[in-house]
Amino acid sequence: INHGYPLEGIKKMNLQQILDEDYVEFKLEKFFEYPVALERIKAGLTQEELSERLGVSQAYIRKIENQ
């Protein structure tokens, strides 16, 4: 991966410099608009696992998460 740099430039740059330029801190909260889905994911559960625990269908969990 050259990140758009010419090969000569990569040779002169420190690898960490290249990686730092593209680094974006991952925050799960930024990627989910739906708080119910966010909390399920934080708990390490799939929709299927949560639906089994609650005794409802996966479709129901999906519907609740998308409200």
Short mmCIF file of all heavy atoms in Angstrom, two decimals:
data_model
loop_
_atom_site.label_atom_id
_atom_site.label_comp_id
_atom_site.label_asym_id
_atom_site.label_seq_id
_atom_site.Cartn_x
_atom_site.Cartn_y
_atom_site.Cartn_z
N ILE A 1 0.86 -1.18 0.00
CA ILE A 1 0.00 0.00 0.00
C ILE A 1 0.89 1.23 0.00
O ILE A 1 1.76 1.36 0.86
CB ILE A 1 -0.90 0.04 1.25
CG1 ILE A 1 -1.75 -1.23 1.30
CG2 ILE A 1 -1.75 1.28 1.25
CD1 ILE A 1 -2.57 -1.34 2.56
N ASN A 2 0.66 2.10 -0.94
CA ASN A 2 1.51 3.28 -0.97
C ASN A 2 0.78 4.56 -0.61
O ASN A 2 1.36 5.62 -0.61
CB ASN A 2 2.24 3.40 -2.30
CG ASN A 2 1.35 3.82 -3.44
OD1 ASN A 2 0.19 4.15 -3.24
ND2 ASN A 2 1.89 3.82 -4.64
N HIS A 3 -0.50 4.49 -0.32
CA HIS A 3 -1.26 5.64 0.16
C HIS A 3 -1.12 6.85 -0.76
O HIS A 3 -1.19 7.99 -0.31
CB HIS A 3 -0.87 6.03 1.58
CG HIS A 3 -1.14 4.97 2.57
ND1 HIS A 3 -2.35 4.86 3.20
CD2 HIS A 3 -0.40 3.94 3.03
CE1 HIS A 3 -2.33 3.82 4.01
NE2 HIS A 3 -1.16 3.25 3.92
N GLY A 4 -0.87 6.61 -2.04
CA GLY A 4 -0.75 7.70 -3.00
C GLY A 4 0.61 8.35 -3.04
O GLY A 4 0.80 9.33 -3.74
N TYR A 5 1.57 7.85 -2.29
CA TYR A 5 2.91 8.41 -2.31
C TYR A 5 3.73 7.72 -3.40
O TYR A 5 3.61 6.53 -3.60
CB TYR A 5 3.63 8.17 -0.97
CG TYR A 5 2.98 8.86 0.20
CD1 TYR A 5 2.28 8.13 1.15
CD2 TYR A 5 3.08 10.23 0.36
CE1 TYR A 5 1.68 8.75 2.23
CE2 TYR A 5 2.49 10.86 1.44
CZ TYR A 5 1.79 10.11 2.37
OH TYR A 5 1.21 10.74 3.43
N PRO A 6 4.59 8.48 -4.09
CA PRO A 6 5.49 7.81 -5.03
C PRO A 6 6.45 6.92 -4.26
O PRO A 6 6.75 7.17 -3.09
CB PRO A 6 6.23 8.97 -5.70
CG PRO A 6 5.99 10.17 -4.86
CD PRO A 6 4.77 9.90 -4.03
N LEU A 7 6.88 5.86 -4.89
CA LEU A 7 7.74 4.88 -4.23
C LEU A 7 8.97 5.53 -3.60
O LEU A 7 9.35 5.18 -2.48
CB LEU A 7 8.16 3.79 -5.22
CG LEU A 7 8.94 2.61 -4.64
CD1 LEU A 7 8.17 1.94 -3.51
CD2 LEU A 7 9.25 1.60 -5.72
N GLU A 8 9.55 6.49 -4.27
CA GLU A 8 10.75 7.15 -3.72
C GLU A 8 10.42 7.84 -2.40
O GLU A 8 11.20 7.85 -1.46
CB GLU A 8 11.32 8.18 -4.69
CG GLU A 8 11.66 7.65 -6.06
CD GLU A 8 10.44 7.52 -6.97
OE1 GLU A 8 9.58 8.42 -7.00
OE2 GLU A 8 10.34 6.49 -7.64
N GLY A 9 9.23 8.45 -2.34
CA GLY A 9 8.81 9.14 -1.12
C GLY A 9 8.60 8.19 0.03
O GLY A 9 8.92 8.51 1.18
N ILE A 10 8.06 7.02 -0.26
CA ILE A 10 7.84 6.02 0.80
C ILE A 10 9.16 5.58 1.39
O ILE A 10 9.29 5.42 2.60
CB ILE A 10 7.06 4.81 0.25
CG1 ILE A 10 5.64 5.24 -0.11
CG2 ILE A 10 7.04 3.68 1.26
CD1 ILE A 10 4.83 4.16 -0.78
N LYS A 11 10.14 5.40 0.54
CA LYS A 11 11.45 4.96 1.03
C LYS A 11 12.05 5.98 1.99
O LYS A 11 12.72 5.62 2.94
CB LYS A 11 12.40 4.73 -0.15
CG LYS A 11 12.05 3.52 -0.97
CD LYS A 11 13.01 3.38 -2.14
CE LYS A 11 12.61 2.20 -3.01
NZ LYS A 11 13.48 2.09 -4.18
N LYS A 12 11.75 7.26 1.77
CA LYS A 12 12.32 8.31 2.61
C LYS A 12 11.52 8.53 3.88
O LYS A 12 12.02 9.07 4.85
CB LYS A 12 12.40 9.62 1.82
CG LYS A 12 13.39 9.57 0.69
CD LYS A 12 13.38 10.85 -0.09
CE LYS A 12 14.32 10.76 -1.28
NZ LYS A 12 14.28 11.96 -2.11
N MET A 13 10.25 8.15 3.87
CA MET A 13 9.38 8.41 5.03
C MET A 13 9.44 7.25 6.01
O MET A 13 9.63 6.10 5.63
CB MET A 13 7.94 8.60 4.58
CG MET A 13 7.71 9.84 3.77
SD MET A 13 5.99 10.03 3.32
CE MET A 13 5.31 10.61 4.85
N ASN A 14 9.24 7.56 7.22
CA ASN A 14 9.12 6.56 8.26
C ASN A 14 7.74 5.93 8.13
O ASN A 14 6.75 6.62 7.91
CB ASN A 14 9.27 7.28 9.62
CG ASN A 14 9.09 6.38 10.80
OD1 ASN A 14 8.15 5.59 10.87
ND2 ASN A 14 9.98 6.52 11.76
N LEU A 15 7.63 4.61 8.26
CA LEU A 15 6.36 3.92 8.14
C LEU A 15 5.33 4.49 9.12
O LEU A 15 4.16 4.66 8.78
CB LEU A 15 6.54 2.42 8.38
CG LEU A 15 5.27 1.58 8.38
CD1 LEU A 15 4.54 1.71 7.05
CD2 LEU A 15 5.57 0.13 8.67
N GLN A 16 5.75 4.82 10.32
CA GLN A 16 4.83 5.35 11.31
C GLN A 16 4.24 6.68 10.86
O GLN A 16 3.09 6.97 11.10
CB GLN A 16 5.52 5.50 12.67
CG GLN A 16 4.55 5.80 13.80
CD GLN A 16 3.52 4.69 13.98
OE1 GLN A 16 3.89 3.52 14.06
NE2 GLN A 16 2.26 5.04 14.04
N GLN A 17 5.02 7.49 10.17
CA GLN A 17 4.51 8.76 9.65
C GLN A 17 3.36 8.52 8.68
O GLN A 17 2.35 9.21 8.72
CB GLN A 17 5.61 9.53 8.93
CG GLN A 17 6.67 10.12 9.85
CD GLN A 17 7.79 10.72 9.03
OE1 GLN A 17 8.32 10.09 8.12
NE2 GLN A 17 8.16 11.94 9.37
N ILE A 18 3.51 7.54 7.81
CA ILE A 18 2.47 7.22 6.83
C ILE A 18 1.22 6.73 7.54
O ILE A 18 0.11 7.16 7.24
CB ILE A 18 2.98 6.18 5.82
CG1 ILE A 18 4.12 6.77 4.98
CG2 ILE A 18 1.84 5.71 4.92
CD1 ILE A 18 4.85 5.76 4.13
N LEU A 19 1.40 5.85 8.50
CA LEU A 19 0.25 5.30 9.22
C LEU A 19 -0.44 6.38 10.05
O LEU A 19 -1.67 6.41 10.12
CB LEU A 19 0.69 4.14 10.11
CG LEU A 19 1.22 2.90 9.39
CD1 LEU A 19 1.73 1.89 10.40
CD2 LEU A 19 0.17 2.29 8.49
N ASP A 20 0.31 7.26 10.65
CA ASP A 20 -0.27 8.33 11.47
C ASP A 20 -1.14 9.27 10.65
O ASP A 20 -2.16 9.76 11.12
CB ASP A 20 0.81 9.13 12.19
CG ASP A 20 1.43 8.38 13.35
OD1 ASP A 20 0.86 7.36 13.78
OD2 ASP A 20 2.49 8.81 13.82
N GLU A 21 -0.76 9.52 9.41
CA GLU A 21 -1.53 10.41 8.55
C GLU A 21 -2.92 9.85 8.29
O GLU A 21 -3.87 10.60 8.14
CB GLU A 21 -0.81 10.63 7.23
CG GLU A 21 0.40 11.52 7.36
CD GLU A 21 1.08 11.74 6.03
OE1 GLU A 21 0.52 11.37 4.98
OE2 GLU A 21 2.21 12.26 6.03
N ASP A 22 -3.06 8.54 8.21
CA ASP A 22 -4.34 7.91 7.89
C ASP A 22 -5.09 7.44 9.13
O ASP A 22 -6.20 6.95 9.02
CB ASP A 22 -4.12 6.70 6.97
CG ASP A 22 -3.62 7.13 5.60
OD1 ASP A 22 -3.93 8.26 5.19
OD2 ASP A 22 -2.94 6.34 4.94
N TYR A 23 -4.52 7.61 10.30
CA TYR A 23 -5.12 7.10 11.52
C TYR A 23 -6.35 7.91 11.92
O TYR A 23 -6.31 9.13 11.97
CB TYR A 23 -4.11 7.13 12.68
CG TYR A 23 -4.70 6.69 13.99
CD1 TYR A 23 -4.92 5.35 14.25
CD2 TYR A 23 -5.06 7.61 14.96
CE1 TYR A 23 -5.48 4.93 15.44
CE2 TYR A 23 -5.62 7.21 16.16
CZ TYR A 23 -5.82 5.87 16.39
OH TYR A 23 -6.39 5.45 17.58
N VAL A 24 -7.43 7.21 12.15
CA VAL A 24 -8.65 7.81 12.67
C VAL A 24 -9.05 6.97 13.87
O VAL A 24 -9.23 5.77 13.75
CB VAL A 24 -9.79 7.80 11.63
CG1 VAL A 24 -11.07 8.34 12.23
CG2 VAL A 24 -9.38 8.59 10.40
N GLU A 25 -9.16 7.60 15.03
CA GLU A 25 -9.52 6.86 16.24
C GLU A 25 -10.90 6.23 16.07
O GLU A 25 -11.84 6.88 15.64
CB GLU A 25 -9.53 7.79 17.45
CG GLU A 25 -9.81 7.06 18.74
CD GLU A 25 -9.76 7.98 19.95
OE1 GLU A 25 -9.47 9.17 19.80
OE2 GLU A 25 -10.03 7.48 21.05
N PHE A 26 -10.98 4.95 16.37
CA PHE A 26 -12.25 4.24 16.25
C PHE A 26 -13.06 4.42 17.52
O PHE A 26 -12.60 4.13 18.60
CB PHE A 26 -12.02 2.75 16.03
CG PHE A 26 -13.29 1.96 15.96
CD1 PHE A 26 -14.05 1.96 14.81
CD2 PHE A 26 -13.74 1.25 17.05
CE1 PHE A 26 -15.24 1.26 14.74
CE2 PHE A 26 -14.93 0.53 17.00
CZ PHE A 26 -15.67 0.54 15.84
N LYS A 27 -14.25 4.96 17.35
CA LYS A 27 -15.20 5.08 18.45
C LYS A 27 -16.50 4.46 17.97
O LYS A 27 -17.13 4.97 17.04
CB LYS A 27 -15.41 6.54 18.85
CG LYS A 27 -14.19 7.14 19.49
CD LYS A 27 -14.48 8.51 20.06
CE LYS A 27 -13.23 9.05 20.73
NZ LYS A 27 -13.46 10.33 21.36
N LEU A 28 -16.86 3.36 18.59
CA LEU A 28 -18.06 2.63 18.19
C LEU A 28 -19.28 3.52 18.12
O LEU A 28 -20.09 3.42 17.21
CB LEU A 28 -18.29 1.47 19.17
CG LEU A 28 -19.44 0.52 18.84
CD1 LEU A 28 -19.22 -0.18 17.52
CD2 LEU A 28 -19.60 -0.50 19.96
N GLU A 29 -19.40 4.44 19.06
CA GLU A 29 -20.56 5.31 19.14
C GLU A 29 -20.76 6.14 17.88
O GLU A 29 -21.87 6.50 17.53
CB GLU A 29 -20.47 6.23 20.36
CG GLU A 29 -20.59 5.52 21.69
CD GLU A 29 -19.29 4.89 22.18
OE1 GLU A 29 -18.24 4.96 21.48
OE2 GLU A 29 -19.32 4.31 23.26
N LYS A 30 -19.67 6.46 17.18
CA LYS A 30 -19.77 7.27 15.98
C LYS A 30 -20.42 6.51 14.82
O LYS A 30 -20.89 7.13 13.88
CB LYS A 30 -18.39 7.75 15.53
CG LYS A 30 -17.79 8.81 16.41
CD LYS A 30 -16.48 9.26 15.83
CE LYS A 30 -15.88 10.39 16.63
NZ LYS A 30 -14.65 10.89 16.03
N PHE A 31 -20.41 5.20 14.89
CA PHE A 31 -20.86 4.41 13.77
C PHE A 31 -22.28 3.90 13.92
O PHE A 31 -22.77 3.18 13.07
CB PHE A 31 -19.89 3.24 13.54
CG PHE A 31 -18.54 3.72 13.09
CD1 PHE A 31 -17.56 4.00 14.01
CD2 PHE A 31 -18.28 3.94 11.75
CE1 PHE A 31 -16.31 4.45 13.60
CE2 PHE A 31 -17.05 4.40 11.33
CZ PHE A 31 -16.06 4.67 12.26
N PHE A 32 -22.95 4.24 14.98
CA PHE A 32 -24.30 3.75 15.20
C PHE A 32 -25.22 4.87 15.63
O PHE A 32 -24.97 5.54 16.63
CB PHE A 32 -24.32 2.63 16.25
CG PHE A 32 -23.66 1.39 15.76
CD1 PHE A 32 -22.33 1.15 16.01
CD2 PHE A 32 -24.37 0.46 15.02
CE1 PHE A 32 -21.71 0.00 15.54
CE2 PHE A 32 -23.76 -0.68 14.54
CZ PHE A 32 -22.44 -0.91 14.80
N GLU A 33 -26.28 5.06 14.86
CA GLU A 33 -27.27 6.08 15.20
C GLU A 33 -28.29 5.54 16.19
O GLU A 33 -29.05 6.30 16.78
CB GLU A 33 -28.03 6.51 13.94
CG GLU A 33 -27.17 7.16 12.90
CD GLU A 33 -27.97 7.47 11.64
OE1 GLU A 33 -29.21 7.55 11.71
OE2 GLU A 33 -27.34 7.61 10.59
N TYR A 34 -28.33 4.25 16.34
CA TYR A 34 -29.38 3.60 17.11
C TYR A 34 -28.85 3.09 18.44
O TYR A 34 -28.08 2.14 18.49
CB TYR A 34 -29.99 2.47 16.28
CG TYR A 34 -30.41 2.95 14.91
CD1 TYR A 34 -29.67 2.65 13.78
CD2 TYR A 34 -31.55 3.74 14.78
CE1 TYR A 34 -30.06 3.10 12.53
CE2 TYR A 34 -31.94 4.21 13.53
CZ TYR A 34 -31.19 3.88 12.41
OH TYR A 34 -31.57 4.35 11.19
N PRO A 35 -29.27 3.69 19.55
CA PRO A 35 -28.72 3.34 20.86
C PRO A 35 -28.99 1.90 21.28
O PRO A 35 -28.17 1.30 21.97
CB PRO A 35 -29.37 4.33 21.82
CG PRO A 35 -30.54 4.88 21.10
CD PRO A 35 -30.26 4.76 19.64
N VAL A 36 -30.10 1.32 20.87
CA VAL A 36 -30.39 -0.07 21.26
C VAL A 36 -29.37 -1.00 20.60
O VAL A 36 -28.81 -1.89 21.24
CB VAL A 36 -31.84 -0.46 20.88
CG1 VAL A 36 -32.09 -1.93 21.18
CG2 VAL A 36 -32.84 0.42 21.63
N ALA A 37 -29.11 -0.79 19.32
CA ALA A 37 -28.12 -1.60 18.61
C ALA A 37 -26.73 -1.41 19.22
O ALA A 37 -25.97 -2.37 19.39
CB ALA A 37 -28.10 -1.24 17.14
N LEU A 38 -26.40 -0.19 19.56
CA LEU A 38 -25.09 0.11 20.16
C LEU A 38 -24.90 -0.66 21.46
O LEU A 38 -23.86 -1.28 21.67
CB LEU A 38 -24.96 1.61 20.40
CG LEU A 38 -23.67 2.08 21.04
CD1 LEU A 38 -22.47 1.71 20.19
CD2 LEU A 38 -23.72 3.57 21.28
N GLU A 39 -25.90 -0.64 22.31
CA GLU A 39 -25.78 -1.34 23.59
C GLU A 39 -25.71 -2.86 23.39
O GLU A 39 -24.98 -3.55 24.11
CB GLU A 39 -26.94 -0.98 24.51
CG GLU A 39 -26.89 0.46 24.99
CD GLU A 39 -25.57 0.83 25.64
OE1 GLU A 39 -25.05 0.06 26.49
OE2 GLU A 39 -25.03 1.91 25.32
N ARG A 40 -26.44 -3.39 22.41
CA ARG A 40 -26.38 -4.82 22.12
C ARG A 40 -24.97 -5.20 21.69
O ARG A 40 -24.40 -6.19 22.16
CB ARG A 40 -27.38 -5.19 21.02
CG ARG A 40 -27.24 -6.64 20.57
CD ARG A 40 -28.14 -6.98 19.41
NE ARG A 40 -28.00 -6.13 18.24
CZ ARG A 40 -27.01 -6.22 17.34
NH1 ARG A 40 -26.04 -7.09 17.48
NH2 ARG A 40 -26.98 -5.41 16.29
N ILE A 41 -24.39 -4.40 20.82
CA ILE A 41 -23.04 -4.68 20.33
C ILE A 41 -22.01 -4.55 21.45
O ILE A 41 -21.10 -5.36 21.57
CB ILE A 41 -22.71 -3.76 19.14
CG1 ILE A 41 -23.61 -4.16 17.97
CG2 ILE A 41 -21.25 -3.83 18.77
CD1 ILE A 41 -23.62 -3.17 16.84
N LYS A 42 -22.15 -3.54 22.29
CA LYS A 42 -21.25 -3.39 23.44
C LYS A 42 -21.32 -4.61 24.36
O LYS A 42 -20.33 -4.98 24.97
CB LYS A 42 -21.59 -2.13 24.24
CG LYS A 42 -21.13 -0.85 23.60
CD LYS A 42 -21.51 0.32 24.50
CE LYS A 42 -21.04 1.63 24.00
NZ LYS A 42 -21.43 2.74 24.89
N ALA A 43 -22.52 -5.22 24.44
CA ALA A 43 -22.70 -6.41 25.27
C ALA A 43 -22.15 -7.67 24.59
O ALA A 43 -22.13 -8.74 25.19
CB ALA A 43 -24.17 -6.60 25.60
N GLY A 44 -21.72 -7.52 23.34
CA GLY A 44 -21.14 -8.65 22.63
C GLY A 44 -22.17 -9.64 22.12
O GLY A 44 -21.85 -10.83 21.96
N LEU A 45 -23.37 -9.17 21.85
CA LEU A 45 -24.44 -10.06 21.40
C LEU A 45 -24.82 -9.77 19.95
O LEU A 45 -24.82 -8.61 19.53
CB LEU A 45 -25.70 -9.86 22.25
CG LEU A 45 -25.59 -10.23 23.72
CD1 LEU A 45 -26.85 -9.78 24.46
CD2 LEU A 45 -25.37 -11.72 23.89
N THR A 46 -25.16 -10.82 19.22
CA THR A 46 -25.74 -10.64 17.89
C THR A 46 -27.23 -10.44 18.06
O THR A 46 -27.79 -10.71 19.13
CB THR A 46 -25.49 -11.88 17.01
OG1 THR A 46 -26.18 -12.99 17.58
CG2 THR A 46 -24.01 -12.19 16.87
N GLN A 47 -27.89 -10.02 17.00
CA GLN A 47 -29.34 -9.90 17.05
C GLN A 47 -29.97 -11.26 17.34
O GLN A 47 -30.92 -11.35 18.12
CB GLN A 47 -29.90 -9.35 15.73
CG GLN A 47 -29.65 -7.90 15.53
CD GLN A 47 -30.28 -7.38 14.25
OE1 GLN A 47 -30.65 -8.14 13.36
NE2 GLN A 47 -30.41 -6.07 14.15
N GLU A 48 -29.42 -12.28 16.74
CA GLU A 48 -29.95 -13.64 16.96
C GLU A 48 -29.82 -14.06 18.42
O GLU A 48 -30.76 -14.59 19.01
CB GLU A 48 -29.24 -14.63 16.04
CG GLU A 48 -29.79 -16.03 16.15
CD GLU A 48 -29.13 -16.99 15.18
OE1 GLU A 48 -28.17 -16.60 14.48
OE2 GLU A 48 -29.55 -18.15 15.16
N GLU A 49 -28.64 -13.82 19.01
CA GLU A 49 -28.44 -14.19 20.41
C GLU A 49 -29.38 -13.42 21.34
O GLU A 49 -29.96 -14.00 22.26
CB GLU A 49 -26.98 -13.93 20.82
CG GLU A 49 -25.99 -14.86 20.15
CD GLU A 49 -24.55 -14.42 20.31
OE1 GLU A 49 -24.28 -13.21 20.49
OE2 GLU A 49 -23.68 -15.30 20.24
N LEU A 50 -29.55 -12.13 21.09
CA LEU A 50 -30.44 -11.33 21.92
C LEU A 50 -31.89 -11.80 21.78
O LEU A 50 -32.61 -11.91 22.77
CB LEU A 50 -30.32 -9.85 21.58
CG LEU A 50 -31.16 -8.89 22.41
CD1 LEU A 50 -30.83 -9.02 23.90
CD2 LEU A 50 -30.97 -7.46 21.93
N SER A 51 -32.28 -12.10 20.55
CA SER A 51 -33.65 -12.55 20.33
C SER A 51 -33.92 -13.87 21.06
O SER A 51 -35.00 -14.06 21.63
CB SER A 51 -33.95 -12.69 18.84
OG SER A 51 -33.22 -13.75 18.26
N GLU A 52 -32.95 -14.78 21.06
CA GLU A 52 -33.11 -16.05 21.77
C GLU A 52 -33.23 -15.81 23.27
O GLU A 52 -34.06 -16.42 23.94
CB GLU A 52 -31.93 -16.97 21.47
CG GLU A 52 -31.96 -17.53 20.06
CD GLU A 52 -30.70 -18.31 19.70
OE1 GLU A 52 -29.82 -18.50 20.58
OE2 GLU A 52 -30.59 -18.71 18.54
N ARG A 53 -32.41 -14.91 23.81
CA ARG A 53 -32.46 -14.62 25.25
C ARG A 53 -33.80 -14.00 25.66
O ARG A 53 -34.29 -14.24 26.76
CB ARG A 53 -31.33 -13.68 25.65
CG ARG A 53 -29.97 -14.34 25.66
CD ARG A 53 -28.93 -13.38 26.18
NE ARG A 53 -27.62 -13.99 26.14
CZ ARG A 53 -26.58 -13.51 26.80
NH1 ARG A 53 -26.70 -12.42 27.54
NH2 ARG A 53 -25.41 -14.11 26.72
N LEU A 54 -34.36 -13.18 24.77
CA LEU A 54 -35.61 -12.50 25.10
C LEU A 54 -36.85 -13.27 24.66
O LEU A 54 -37.97 -12.88 25.01
CB LEU A 54 -35.63 -11.11 24.45
CG LEU A 54 -34.55 -10.13 24.94
CD1 LEU A 54 -34.61 -8.84 24.15
CD2 LEU A 54 -34.68 -9.88 26.43
N GLY A 55 -36.65 -14.32 23.89
CA GLY A 55 -37.78 -15.10 23.42
C GLY A 55 -38.61 -14.41 22.35
O GLY A 55 -39.83 -14.57 22.30
N VAL A 56 -37.95 -13.62 21.54
CA VAL A 56 -38.61 -12.93 20.43
C VAL A 56 -37.88 -13.25 19.14
O VAL A 56 -36.81 -13.85 19.16
CB VAL A 56 -38.67 -11.40 20.66
CG1 VAL A 56 -39.46 -11.06 21.92
CG2 VAL A 56 -37.26 -10.81 20.76
N SER A 57 -38.43 -12.82 18.02
CA SER A 57 -37.78 -13.09 16.73
C SER A 57 -36.64 -12.10 16.48
O SER A 57 -36.62 -10.99 17.03
CB SER A 57 -38.78 -13.00 15.59
OG SER A 57 -39.20 -11.66 15.41
N GLN A 58 -35.72 -12.51 15.61
CA GLN A 58 -34.64 -11.61 15.23
C GLN A 58 -35.22 -10.41 14.48
O GLN A 58 -34.72 -9.29 14.62
CB GLN A 58 -33.62 -12.34 14.36
CG GLN A 58 -32.44 -11.47 13.96
CD GLN A 58 -31.42 -12.20 13.12
OE1 GLN A 58 -31.52 -13.39 12.88
NE2 GLN A 58 -30.42 -11.47 12.67
N ALA A 59 -36.28 -10.63 13.71
CA ALA A 59 -36.93 -9.54 13.00
C ALA A 59 -37.45 -8.47 13.97
O ALA A 59 -37.37 -7.28 13.70
CB ALA A 59 -38.07 -10.07 12.13
N TYR A 60 -37.93 -8.91 15.12
CA TYR A 60 -38.42 -7.98 16.13
C TYR A 60 -37.28 -7.14 16.69
O TYR A 60 -37.39 -5.92 16.84
CB TYR A 60 -39.16 -8.72 17.25
CG TYR A 60 -39.70 -7.80 18.31
CD1 TYR A 60 -40.83 -7.01 18.05
CD2 TYR A 60 -39.11 -7.70 19.55
CE1 TYR A 60 -41.34 -6.15 19.00
CE2 TYR A 60 -39.60 -6.84 20.52
CZ TYR A 60 -40.73 -6.07 20.25
OH TYR A 60 -41.21 -5.21 21.18
N ILE A 61 -36.15 -7.78 16.96
CA ILE A 61 -34.97 -7.06 17.47
C ILE A 61 -34.54 -6.03 16.42
O ILE A 61 -34.28 -4.88 16.75
CB ILE A 61 -33.81 -8.03 17.79
CG1 ILE A 61 -34.19 -8.99 18.90
CG2 ILE A 61 -32.53 -7.25 18.11
CD1 ILE A 61 -34.46 -8.35 20.23
N ARG A 62 -34.49 -6.44 15.16
CA ARG A 62 -34.10 -5.53 14.08
C ARG A 62 -35.05 -4.32 14.03
O ARG A 62 -34.63 -3.18 13.90
CB ARG A 62 -34.08 -6.26 12.75
CG ARG A 62 -33.61 -5.42 11.58
CD ARG A 62 -33.46 -6.21 10.27
NE ARG A 62 -34.67 -6.95 9.93
CZ ARG A 62 -34.77 -8.29 9.96
NH1 ARG A 62 -33.74 -9.03 10.33
NH2 ARG A 62 -35.90 -8.89 9.62
N LYS A 63 -36.35 -4.58 14.16
CA LYS A 63 -37.34 -3.51 14.14
C LYS A 63 -37.12 -2.53 15.30
O LYS A 63 -37.14 -1.30 15.10
CB LYS A 63 -38.74 -4.11 14.22
CG LYS A 63 -39.85 -3.10 14.22
CD LYS A 63 -41.20 -3.77 14.32
CE LYS A 63 -42.30 -2.74 14.41
NZ LYS A 63 -43.62 -3.35 14.54
N ILE A 64 -36.90 -3.05 16.49
CA ILE A 64 -36.67 -2.21 17.66
C ILE A 64 -35.40 -1.38 17.49
O ILE A 64 -35.36 -0.19 17.81
CB ILE A 64 -36.59 -3.06 18.95
CG1 ILE A 64 -37.91 -3.76 19.22
CG2 ILE A 64 -36.14 -2.22 20.14
CD1 ILE A 64 -39.08 -2.82 19.43
N GLU A 65 -34.35 -2.01 16.99
CA GLU A 65 -33.07 -1.30 16.82
C GLU A 65 -33.16 -0.18 15.79
O GLU A 65 -32.43 0.81 15.89
CB GLU A 65 -31.98 -2.28 16.41
CG GLU A 65 -31.54 -3.17 17.52
CD GLU A 65 -30.37 -4.07 17.16
OE1 GLU A 65 -30.00 -4.16 15.97
OE2 GLU A 65 -29.83 -4.69 18.08
N ASN A 66 -34.04 -0.30 14.84
CA ASN A 66 -34.13 0.69 13.77
C ASN A 66 -35.12 1.80 14.05
O ASN A 66 -35.39 2.63 13.18
CB ASN A 66 -34.46 0.01 12.45
CG ASN A 66 -33.30 -0.81 11.94
OD1 ASN A 66 -32.16 -0.38 12.03
ND2 ASN A 66 -33.58 -1.98 11.44
N GLN A 67 -35.66 1.87 15.24
CA GLN A 67 -36.59 2.94 15.59
C GLN A 67 -35.86 4.15 16.10
O GLN A 67 -34.86 4.09 16.69
CB GLN A 67 -37.59 2.45 16.66
CG GLN A 67 -38.53 1.44 16.10
CD GLN A 67 -39.57 1.00 17.12
OE1 GLN A 67 -39.48 1.32 18.30
NE2 GLN A 67 -40.55 0.26 16.67
#
